[in-house]
Amino acid sequence: AASPAPPPAVVVVPVPRPYAESGNVTQAAVDDSLPDAIGAFLDWLVRESGFTVTEGHREGRVPVEARHVCLLFKRLSRWDGADVTRPYVRALEARGLPHVLASGRSFHQREEVIAVRNALAAIEWPEDTLSVYATLHGPFFAFGDDVLLAHSAVAPLRPARAKVRIPPLAPVLAEVESALALLAELHRARNHRPIADTLGRLLGATRAHAGVAIWPTGEQALANIGRMSDLARRFESSGATSFRAFLEWLDDQAARGNSGEAPIVEEGTDGVRVMTVHRAKGLEFPVVVLCDPNAPLPSSPSRYVDHARRLLARPLAGCIPLELLEHRDDVLRRDREETIRLGYVAATRARDLLVVPGIGDTVTSPRPHAMAATGNGWLAVLEPALRPPRDRQRTPLTQSGLPRFCRDSVLARPDKVSRDAESAVAPGAHLPELGGAPVVWWDPAALSLDREADLGLRHRAILEPSSQLPLASAAEADHRAWRARVTDARARGSLPSERIVAATELEVSVDANSDANAIAESVPIERVEGDRAGHPRGKRFGTLLHAILQHTERGADEASLLALSRAHGRWLGADEEEIAVAALRAGRALRHPLMRRAFAAAEMRREADVTLRRPDGSLLEGVVDLAFRDLDSWVVIDFKTDVDLEREHAAYAVQLRAYSAAIAAATGTAVRALLLSI
């Protein structure tokens, strides 16, 4: 068997139906007919041709695949905002050719994206009847006009209103009520859950993924819906303020046309690349297809720069500055030269095969809307290197590896056109007017045109997870591996390197060797004399009293204690009664014999932090109110302001025993603990 052959260097794909009904070759006719021809040629090239191409990182030749092909465009949209890439992408989708849309502005014009935006608007503004109607009538709920009109006779379409009783003879109206109830629930919780979660609940309740999957471009539609969720997550991660802010951001993006469509396959996977020539600078592809031949040549000057005067003159609102008009001819010449350079850059992106659109008939017309020769746009500069001389256009060269061609490069001509096949370039290899390498003019009749999307099996495959699908192959395996790594990292990260236990969390039951009474008896209670009837109580008062005893000095008089109490009381928000009583009771405490011994001791600590490693490995932390060294032992005191101290005596004793153990372990001396009721 013969080895696979390399492709021809240059192929011209003629526009199958370049004529309008008027009998002229028009831009509209070319735009309608060419994308399908390009898609059909690429389908043959990838699946049937047997051609081989080179890859920059590998030696030898490999069979041509979709990933080797790049569609290059000079522009992304026409003057009316229409995306010129969409017809070409649809032609690829109809033939099951995966693609990566590296450039494009049709995202916000897609039906599924408009449907999502309408639904989000209905959730945010339930009183906006137009948004609610568009959502119910759209692809997610798909209620007909007759049903919505019948419901309007019963009640308005308002999700936030009270539920209306629907007549039992109209069950379809109850379905509308269920849809309104769903929008109402999403409206109420929209600012209390992530935006992507709100969108996910809407899509899940309506089973939108299954419905969208059976669209002619279901795979791309599903990818775009997924991208809407990604946009919501990114918006929130950047500091989202509200659900409404996300909608306003979407409206701004739609007005600017900044978003391209979501790629069905990721970068680095198998798929036809779709991008602009500017983005392709510095890149090289085995097969390059130049698209949109009607992208116009400059007809008006773009801009004039005068560096000496620091002047930039550009058209604005249809008006051209005088400085730009004065240099019109020079600017136009430079603009046209730049277009020629752009065409050169586009043509030289191809390493093995360059595919260029063309028109088989040689047409000339003085009418401005008519198409002449291979076009009057940015690819017209390539015509001398593509079209053979007129006296040789009917005699193609013999070249192997090509299908059997007919004799006409125009598939259909209206009755008004007097030309026939003899006026067209015959399909086959030709030597152009300029250049020595043959150029193959393709036969449009050899292409499988007007292909409808293969919906049934393909859409079923989209809905059923399968390792054979591009979406569920290597990328899905990578995603599963990533999820496994994240889960493992979270599990390991959730394990504490240190378990901290506060002494105040200890309970009597932790001491298994003694009962509550024994624990309480191990820590005696000393009391400060004085009547407490009618005194303030509570956490704030106790905190204030502790602060005074922590910062007071030995021998402080009533005035200094009151000043100290007032200073801390301001920080704690205490009232005058609490401040006065706290100073009084602090003075009584300082006169207690234990406090006198503490201030007379050689070493005293107040509000001291202590830690203790427990047998189970946890680290006990606590704060000792007062500790002082008394001869060869330490005395630990805990201040308490409780009225009924006996009720919590055992729990407090457990804490003090823990403090004592920590101090004993740190100092190596005996420790005695007690409670001081102040």
Side-chain angles (χ1 to χ4, degrees):
S3 59
V10 182
V11 169
V12 176
V13 176
V15 180
R17 303 177 182 91
Y19 289 93
E21 290 298 325
S22 62
N24 294 316
V25 175
T26 63
Q27 295 182 1
V30 171
D31 289 339
D32 290 340
S33 182
L34 179 60
D36 188 52
I38 295 295
F41 175 77
L42 293 181
D43 186 36
W44 176 87
L45 179 67
V46 171
R47 295 192 170 106
E48 302 179 30
S49 69
F51 290 157
T52 59
V53 294
T54 58
E55 292 183 329
H57 60 285
R58 295 172 58 180
E59 295 183 0
R61 305 184 68 87
V62 296
V64 62
E65 301 176 14
R67 62 188 175 90
H68 296 135
V69 182
C70 177
L71 304 186
L72 289 185
F73 293 81
K74 178 179 180 290
R75 57 182 179 175
L76 295 176
S77 57
R78 297 199 307 254
W79 61 271
D80 57 356
D83 190 344
V84 298
T85 67
R86 277 301 304 148
Y88 294 88
V89 170
R90 286 175 180 167
L92 297 177
E93 291 172 344
R95 291 164 175 84
L97 293 175
H99 66 278
V100 177
L101 191 59
S103 301
R105 296 184 178 178
S106 64
F107 178 71
H108 290 285
Q109 301 172 9
R110 294 280 302 221
E111 181 181 357
E112 64 275 7
V113 176
I114 294 175
V116 171
R117 291 176 56 203
N118 286 337
L120 296 179
I123 293 172
E124 175 61 29
W125 294 288
E127 301 298 324
D128 182 4
T129 305
L130 183 59
S131 295
V132 175
Y133 169 82
T135 301
L136 298 179
H137 190 57
F140 297 151
F141 294 98
F143 289 112
D145 288 329
D146 54 340
V147 175
L148 297 179
L149 183 61
H151 187 280
S152 298
V154 178
L157 297 174
R158 293 182 182 176
R161 61 181 174 78
K163 189 173 180 62
V164 175
R165 180 176 298 176
I166 302 299
L169 296 179
V172 69
L173 301 187
E175 296 179 7
V176 179
E177 277 297 303
S178 298
L180 292 174
L182 172 63
L183 296 178
E185 189 279 328
L186 296 176
H187 166 76
R188 288 189 293 269
R190 69 197 187 284
N191 289 323
H192 302 284
R193 61 168 62 115
I195 300 173
D197 185 31
T198 298
L199 178 57
R201 289 170 183 261
L202 171 68
L203 299 176
T206 58
R207 301 184 65 187
H209 295 91
V212 170
I214 63 175
W215 291 7
T217 58
E219 197 168 3
Q220 181 65 62
L222 288 176
N224 286 337
I225 289 178
R227 183 173 184 179
M228 289 291 286
S229 298
D230 292 339
L231 290 176
R233 296 186 188 96
R234 293 178 184 178
F235 183 78
E236 287 187 306
S237 65
S238 64
T241 56
S242 65
F243 189 85
R244 181 174 299 182
F246 177 63
L247 288 181
E248 293 173 348
W249 179 80
L250 282 180
D251 291 340
D252 180 67
Q253 294 295 304
R256 296 173 181 267
N258 288 339
S259 297
E261 293 181 13
I264 295 179
V265 293
E266 300 294 336
E267 292 289 347
T269 58
D270 296 345
V272 177
R273 267 50 179 179
V274 182
M275 64 178 64
T276 61
V277 180
H278 291 284
R279 187 160 183 170
K281 288 182 177 179
L283 302 178
E284 193 176 50
F285 304 91
V287 180
V288 169
V289 183
L290 305 184
C291 304
D292 187 28
N294 292 331
L297 293 169
S299 59
S300 60
S302 59
R303 62 180 181 177
Y304 170 70
V305 179
D306 189 337
H307 296 284
R309 299 170 56 190
R310 304 187 61 172
L311 171 68
L312 170 64
R314 301 185 62 177
L316 179 63
C319 301
I320 301 179
L322 180 60
E323 292 83 357
L324 186 56
L325 285 176
E326 292 175 347
H327 299 82
R328 175 188 179 92
D329 295 339
D330 291 338
V331 173
L332 272 177
R333 177 179 53 79
R334 286 197 298 267
D335 290 346
R336 292 177 185 256
E337 291 174 352
E338 176 61 25
T339 302
I340 294 174
R341 284 192 291 269
L342 192 65
Y344 170 79
V345 170
T348 55
R349 297 310 92 197
R351 184 165 57 241
D352 295 282
L353 171 60
L354 175 66
V355 181
V356 186
I359 299 174
D361 286 346
T362 303
V363 184
T364 57
S365 173
R367 301 179 63 177
H369 66 277
M371 185 75 68
T374 57
N376 53 15
W378 72 296
L379 299 180
V381 65
L382 301 178
E383 182 184 349
L386 301 175
R387 183 176 292 275
R390 303 196 90 183
D391 58 347
R392 296 201 303 267
Q393 68 180 16
R394 299 300 302 166
T395 56
L397 306 175
T398 301
Q399 185 164 344
S400 61
L402 300 178
R404 186 179 182 86
F405 289 157
C406 298
R407 297 286 293 169
D408 195 353
S409 55
V410 177
L411 188 63
R413 298 180 180 85
D415 295 337
K416 296 180 180 180
V417 177
S418 59
R419 300 176 184 85
D420 55 19
E422 296 302 318
S423 65
V425 178
H430 295 270
L431 289 177
E433 294 181 6
L434 298 178
V439 175
V440 175
W441 281 69
W442 213 257
D443 181 6
L447 300 175
S448 179
L449 301 173
D450 304 320
R451 176 81 64 85
E452 295 292 337
D454 187 8
L455 304 183
L457 295 178
R458 178 59 179 164
H459 292 157
R460 181 176 179 179
I462 293 173
L463 295 175
E464 294 180 357
S466 170
S467 60
Q468 302 301 318
L469 290 176
L471 286 174
S473 56
E476 185 176 350
D478 291 343
H479 179 69
R480 285 196 299 266
W482 173 80
R483 289 293 299 271
R485 292 195 301 271
V486 170
T487 302
D488 180 66
R490 287 177 175 174
R492 288 186 285 104
S494 63
L495 297 176
S497 58
E498 189 72 76
R499 188 163 65 91
I500 308 298
V501 178
T504 55
E505 299 175 1
L506 297 178
E507 299 178 355
V508 175
S509 59
V510 300
D511 194 331
N513 299 322
S514 304
D515 58 19
N517 292 330
I519 294 175
E521 291 175 358
S522 66
V523 179
I525 300 176
E526 295 282 342
R527 300 182 183 277
V528 174
E529 300 297 331
D531 183 20
R532 305 182 191 178
H535 282 187
R537 63 183 65 181
K539 184 176 181 179
R540 182 174 62 188
F541 178 75
T543 303
L544 176 59
L545 191 50
H546 276 72
I548 297 173
L549 294 176
Q550 177 186 358
H551 295 94
T552 188
E553 298 295 335
R554 179 180 180 180
D557 56 17
E558 294 182 2
S560 59
L561 288 174
L562 183 61
L564 186 61
S565 178
R566 182 167 285 109
H568 287 282
R570 283 197 299 268
W571 285 104
L572 297 173
D575 56 32
E576 288 297 326
E577 181 184 8
E578 291 175 323
I579 291 173
V581 173
L584 173 65
R585 289 173 61 172
R588 293 176 181 175
L590 292 175
R591 291 191 293 271
H592 191 276
L594 275 175
M595 298 297 292
R596 293 180 182 274
R597 287 169 55 194
F599 277 98
E603 189 173 355
M604 181 182 68
R605 304 286 180 88
R606 288 183 283 184
E607 297 295 325
D609 296 323
V610 294
T611 59
L612 175 66
R613 181 68 65 182
R614 303 175 68 198
D616 62 358
S618 62
L619 187 66
L620 178 74
E621 288 187 345
V623 179
V624 176
D625 290 343
L626 177 65
F628 65 92
R629 190 177 183 88
D630 186 19
L631 299 178
D632 294 331
S633 64
W634 279 84
V635 178
V636 179
I637 302 175
D638 201 18
F639 302 138
K640 295 300 176 185
T641 60
D642 304 48
V643 175
D644 186 8
L645 186 58
E646 283 74 10
R647 186 176 60 183
E648 302 292 338
H649 187 184
Y652 293 152
V654 170
Q655 298 174 23
L656 270 176
R657 288 175 60 163
Y659 295 158
S660 300
I663 294 176
T667 62
T669 60
V671 180
R672 185 167 64 93
L674 52 88
L675 295 170
L676 181 60
S677 176
I678 56 177

